Amino acid sequence: MEKESEVRSLIDLEAKLTQVVFPFQDVVPEHLREWFSVYAASHGTTQELLLLSMLTSTSALVGKSTLEVFSTYEERGNLFLIAISPSGSGKTPACHLGCIDPIIEHLEPKIKSTILLDVTSANGLFNHFVSSQLSPIICIDEAYSFLMKLASPTKSSQVYMSMERLCKLY
């Protein structure tokens, strides 16, 4: 995007996002491309969505590992993905195959805590973090209403999330 002023509505944003191309062939080694293609097609998703959900899973798998960015600053693993695409494009299968199913199967028993969250309101997120003592989190893949309320908040909205609260959760 050249200028912020070019995006004035969700329709403008959607038009800009349709111009984004993910260079799958530049990111994935040749010997894995066929596997991604066949596996994604057999599960009703795309190879790009499947790859992105798998990469996002690494955030949960690195646990409390940190990376020393500077001698005075460390960064924890914190990868996330918001996949916005038309209904039927394969978001749900990619989310389950690459992220939810493998992590829940292997990680929840180790940390003895639930990490799948389907209440994506401000209170739901806050309550999860308070009760889980900062365990990793996977939000359910249907967050449309939550994102719409963040994108167009109203004073009467019960789940409007202030920037301050969003930063506290981050």
Side-chain angles (χ1 to χ4, degrees), residues 6-21:
E6 293 179 11
V7 179
R8 297 183 184 273
S9 68
L10 289 177
I11 294 170
D12 293 343
L13 179 60
E14 185 178 347
K16 286 288 185 189
L17 290 176
T18 58
Q19 297 170 7
V20 175
V21 178

Side-chain angles (χ1 to χ4, degrees), residues 48-115:
E48 293 85 0
L49 284 171
L50 186 58
L51 172 67
L52 291 174
S53 72
M54 288 176 170
L55 289 175
T56 306
S57 297
T58 61
S59 183
L61 299 175
V62 297
K64 294 183 180 187
S65 300
T66 58
L67 172 67
E68 186 177 306
V69 180
F70 305 107
S71 61
T72 58
Y73 178 72
E74 291 182 341
E75 183 69 37
R76 292 191 181 270
N78 188 19
L79 301 175
F80 60 92
L81 167 70
I82 298 175
I84 303 172
S85 62
S87 181
S89 63
K91 296 180 301 290
T92 299
C95 180
H96 280 275
L97 291 168
C99 192
I100 291 176
D101 297 344
I103 289 179
I104 288 187
E105 181 180 320
H106 297 289
L107 189 61
E108 280 188 348
K110 285 183 177 180
I111 65 172
K112 297 178 179 132
S113 177
T114 183
I115 60 173

